[in-house]
Structures are given as structure tokens and as C-alpha cells.
Amino acid sequence: MPIISPRFFSLSRVQLATLQQSLNNPHGSSSFCVTQIPWGTQEVSSDRYRLGGFRSFCTVKDLSTKKCVPCNSDTLKAMTEEAANTLIGQVPEWNLINQDGILKLQRSWKAKTFMKGLEFFQAVADVAEAEGHHPDLHLVGWNNVKIDIWTHSVAGLTENDFILAAKISGLNLPHLLRKQAGK
Ligand SMILES: C[C@H](O)[C@H](O)[C@H]1CNC2=NC(N)=NC(=O)C2=N1
């Protein structure tokens, strides 16, 4: 059972008790969820629990802790644009684009140098290889880095793409990239 620490958000003791009680739901929960509280906190969609009128949310940590599934699975289908618009909230640094009818995730950075751009690609490639799911990598104008992620086998987006995006967002490489994306 996740330990809920008030330091994560300023819930009153009563609300905390309610939250803890509601999280003791019969189905159990491996992921850590917080309620969306009026004064705002990090939250991302996932209608997993409803706590007395509040929609509880699971932290964005969920996607980056998941594992991609093989893309040649017969059961894998491209998700709808509506589903993609819901999930994009879990990877807010990424943009949802439609390229020639294919939905993709896209994000851009400025690398500090051409070689550091390639080093960044190597770090991304390591994640991709570990996941068995691969992005399209673009390095143009010597330091303009852009990554597109989509599932080629279904010509669209699957949860794999969002998992990979979340893991790339989790890379901490300030020595390779300028602070502000696209600057
Ligand atoms: C068998 C294995 O899952 C496939 O070859 C993978 C490799 N990496 C992949 N990456 C992406 N983005 N889409 C795919 O369809 C894909 N297929």
C-alpha cells in the first residue's frame, strides 16, 4: 500500500484519511495515486479511482515504469485520436501531430554541439533498444534535434509510443541539450 506523505501535497488530515481509506479499495493498487485537489497538484488522467467526487489521478510515473510490448502482436491496434489526446497529458512536453494521416508524438531540442546531439541520440537509442520500440531521429542544421515516435506496425499510436516518450523525457542530459527545448 503506497505510503502517502503529506509533504507531497497539502491535504488536511481528514482528507488524507479519506484518501487513504479510498485507496484501500478491494482491487488494490500498485501505482501511487493522488486526488486532484482544488489548489492544484500534478495530476494526469486515469479514471482509476473516484474519491467522493474527486477524480483521483495517477502520477506521470506510471508510463515511465511500464514496458513496451512487441509491435508485431496481432492484438496491437492504433489508438483513436481521442485516446491520444487523453494520454498526451501524461507526456506534456511532447506534441501530438498528424503527419499524412498518421498520428505521431514529436518533440524538439537544441543540442549544445553536433557531437552532443549524437550523444543524445545514443542515450535515446539505448532506451529504445531496451524497450524494443524505436523513434525516428532527426538532426538538422547541426544542432536541431527532433524525435518522432509512432508505431510503424499499425501506422499510428499505441501505448508503446507514450511509454517511450515518457522514458525519453526522463533522461536527464543537461550537458548535452540547451535548457529550453527548441531555443
Ligand atoms: C518485433 C518488434 O516488436 C518490431 O520489429 C518493432 C521494432 N521497433 C518498432 N518501433 C516502432 N516505433 N514501431 C514498430 O512497429 C516497431 N516494431
Side-chain angles (χ1 to χ4, degrees):
M1 171 45 58
I3 306 298
I4 293 176
S5 155
R7 68 184 168 83
F8 285 135
F9 40 85
S10 49
L11 278 176
S12 73
R13 187 164 300 285
V14 169
Q15 285 168 313
L16 210 50
T18 308
L19 178 60
Q20 186 70 48
Q21 183 196 359
S22 303
L23 283 178
N24 287 323
N25 63 61
H27 306 296
S29 151
S30 60
S31 60
F32 179 87
C33 294
V34 295
T35 61
Q36 180 187 11
I37 43 184
W39 45 95
T41 178
Q42 93 259 8
E43 75 275 343
V44 208
S45 72
S46 171
D47 278 334
R48 286 194 192 165
Y49 306 103
R50 285 193 172 276
L51 304 171
F54 281 113
R55 272 194 341 151
S56 72
F57 293 83
C58 289
T59 63
V60 72
K61 194 176 177 320
D62 273 7
L63 275 176
S64 62
T65 60
K66 289 190 162 186
K67 188 91 180 90
C68 292
V69 300
C71 298
N72 55 2
S73 155
D74 295 342
T75 58
L76 203 62
K77 298 276 180 287
M79 70 174 66
T80 62
E81 188 153 5
E82 184 189 8
N85 277 309
T86 300
L87 267 177
I88 196 70
Q90 295 197 39
V91 282
E93 317 87 351
W94 292 78
N95 297 309
L96 186 56
I97 64 167
N98 187 322
Q99 217 165 53
D100 307 327
I102 298 177
L103 286 179
K104 300 179 181 180
L105 299 179
Q106 186 175 88
R107 187 175 173 187
S108 298
W109 296 261
K110 280 279 191 203
K112 288 186 172 176
T113 66
F114 177 75
M115 292 308 286
K116 289 184 175 183
L118 293 176
E119 266 186 74
F120 172 57
F121 280 172
Q122 184 57 62
V124 170
D126 292 343
V127 174
E129 279 297 288
E131 292 300 318
H133 197 66
H134 304 88
D136 298 345
L137 304 175
H138 308 267
L139 174 52
V140 297
W142 69 270
N143 72 343
N144 295 289
V145 169
K146 180 173 68 174
I147 296 183
D148 292 339
I149 306 177
W150 54 295
T151 301
H152 298 243
S153 59
V154 299
L157 286 175
T158 64
E159 190 185 45
N160 279 352
D161 304 307
F162 290 86
I163 291 168
L164 183 59
K167 291 182 185 234
I168 291 170
S169 293
L171 292 173
N172 181 24
L173 303 166
H175 60 298
L176 301 179
L177 304 169
R178 289 206 192 142
K179 248 190 188 355
Q180 295 297 322
K183 292 282 180 280

